[in-house]
Amino acid sequence: IQMMTKNLPVTSFFPLVTSLLSPSTSLQARSLISLYIVHCASNAPELALLSINAYQKDLSDPNPLVRAGAITTLSSMQLSDIRELVGMAIQKGARDSSWYVRRATADAVRALYRADPTRDNLTVLRPTLKVLLDGATPLTVGAAFSAWEELCPTEWDLVHQNYRRVCKMLMDVDEWGQTTLLRVLARYGRTFFLDPTTTSGHVDPDVELALKHSEALLQHLNPAVVLGVIKLHYYLGPPTQQHKVVRPLLRLLQGEPEIAAIALENCALLAEQRPVRVQRSVPLSIRCLC
């Protein structure tokens, strides 16, 4: 690994390294071996093929960490000779009983599309992506929708049937998964729901579902999540409810300079677009200071 980081030739060690792959190899050693193989695959594809059988066996290993590592490594090699094998691996991984393997599969789908961002490749990967989205759980939904954003961010038919389920699981998702879902929900709402400023206070039940299950996240410790909720409520919430996002937004002004700068831009936008609603929500002391 030290030689790799120094950009020194290491392909001569390939037979020795691949021989270390066995059922008794520790997870830490497997990770280092996988890094080595992926590093050498582009320069010595014929040598990389020597390790394929070992990783193919790992796809059926009882340990989900081993299965996930095999999927990640195979998808990172980017070898045309094993494309069919990798396709079968991600199809199997998308239906795996372990959330860890399914999340690794979602990341693998993204890696495979980045290597070949063509329409034909999208057609091949789309069924696997659909399985990941339809079967997403709080621990995998963030990775699944990140893959959807990269592969086909305008194919809303993959999102329609999952919209309400995603709204309801929002509170149980990890924080970076929440930022992804909030971004997708905001885009979904702006695409399919009426502008809340033109509906005379009427809120679509599906919009209300997203607003209701995201409101508690305004108190989240992660500024990215808070800003995602604010964006969602700004674009989908009725003007009468805009006051809910003001105090959480002001709280971000006390954070790091980079975060405060973004929060200040959002404050300026709210003050410009909806000055009356914002002014009523800001404490008198803050208004006097401004």
Side-chain angles (χ1 to χ4, degrees), residues 43-86:
N43 297 324
E46 68 285 350
L47 291 176
L49 293 175
L50 298 175
S51 63
I52 299 304
N53 287 338
Y55 285 111
Q56 193 170 7
K57 293 178 182 177
D58 286 347
L59 293 173
S60 301
D61 194 278
N63 189 336
L65 299 180
V66 175
R67 298 199 300 273
I71 291 174
T72 300
T73 303
L74 289 172
S75 62
S76 300
M77 286 186 190
Q78 299 179 7
L79 300 177
S80 57
D81 292 339
I82 63 170
R83 184 169 298 177
E84 184 176 351
L85 171 63
V86 177

Side-chain angles (χ1 to χ4, degrees), residues 10-282:
V10 293
T11 53
S12 59
F13 302 106
F14 211 101
L16 175 62
V17 173
T18 53
S19 67
L20 298 176
L21 279 174
S22 68
S24 60
T25 306
S26 67
L27 290 175
Q28 184 177 11
R30 284 177 179 274
S31 299
L32 295 176
I33 293 171
S34 295
L35 287 175
Y36 173 87
I37 292 175
V38 171
H39 175 79
C40 297
S42 57
N43 297 324
E46 68 285 350
L47 291 176
L49 293 175
L50 298 175
S51 63
I52 299 304
N53 287 338
Y55 285 111
Q56 193 170 7
K57 293 178 182 177
D58 286 347
L59 293 173
S60 301
D61 194 278
N63 189 336
L65 299 180
V66 175
R67 298 199 300 273
I71 291 174
T72 300
T73 303
L74 289 172
S75 62
S76 300
M77 286 186 190
Q78 299 179 7
L79 300 177
S80 57
D81 292 339
I82 63 170
R83 184 169 298 177
E84 184 176 351
L85 171 63
V86 177
M88 295 171 60
I90 62 172
Q91 289 175 15
K92 182 179 179 181
R95 295 174 172 82
D96 197 280
S97 59
S98 170
W99 66 267
Y100 191 83
V101 177
R102 296 197 302 274
R103 190 166 71 178
T105 302
D107 293 335
V109 168
R110 294 177 63 189
L112 292 171
Y113 183 73
R114 286 175 182 173
D116 182 20
T118 61
R119 192 68 190 178
D120 290 340
N121 193 30
L122 174 60
T123 302
V124 173
L125 296 174
R126 195 178 187 277
T128 302
L129 178 61
K130 186 178 187 306
V131 172
L132 290 168
L133 291 171
D134 293 346
T137 64
L139 292 172
T140 65
V141 67
F145 272 94
S146 291
W148 173 83
E149 281 189 307
E150 186 152 342
L151 270 68
C152 47
T154 58
E155 295 192 14
W156 294 107
D157 57 303
L158 295 175
V159 181
H160 287 319
Q161 62 186 19
N162 295 302
Y163 172 81
R164 295 174 182 172
R165 187 169 61 89
V166 167
C167 289
K168 293 176 181 178
M169 73 167 66
L170 191 57
M171 285 294 297
D172 300 321
V173 180
D174 65 276
E175 56 186 349
W176 296 115
Q178 288 171 338
T179 60
T180 300
L181 294 185
L182 289 167
R183 184 170 59 246
V184 171
L185 291 175
R187 287 185 55 228
Y188 185 93
R190 297 186 71 184
T191 303
F192 295 102
F193 299 128
L194 295 175
D195 186 342
T197 60
T198 64
T199 57
S200 303
H202 174 71
V203 181
D204 187 284
D206 284 334
V207 173
E208 189 173 1
L209 185 68
L211 298 178
K212 175 184 175 182
H213 285 87
S214 64
E215 185 175 339
L217 295 177
L218 286 170
Q219 309 304 320
H220 204 286
L221 295 178
N222 188 328
V225 176
V226 177
L227 288 171
V229 179
I230 290 172
K231 180 179 179 180
L232 180 70
H233 282 247
Y234 176 79
Y235 286 116
L236 303 188
T240 55
Q241 296 184 19
Q242 293 297 306
H243 64 279
K244 295 181 180 180
V245 307
V246 175
R247 289 178 182 271
L249 186 56
L250 292 176
R251 190 180 72 248
L252 295 180
L253 295 175
Q254 303 173 10
E256 298 294 329
E258 297 83 0
I259 298 172
I262 297 174
L264 193 59
E265 291 181 359
N266 282 269
C267 286
L269 178 63
L270 279 171
E272 179 182 359
Q273 299 295 328
R274 295 160 190 179
V276 177
R277 302 293 177 186
V278 172
Q279 187 177 18
R280 290 177 180 174
S281 305
V282 178

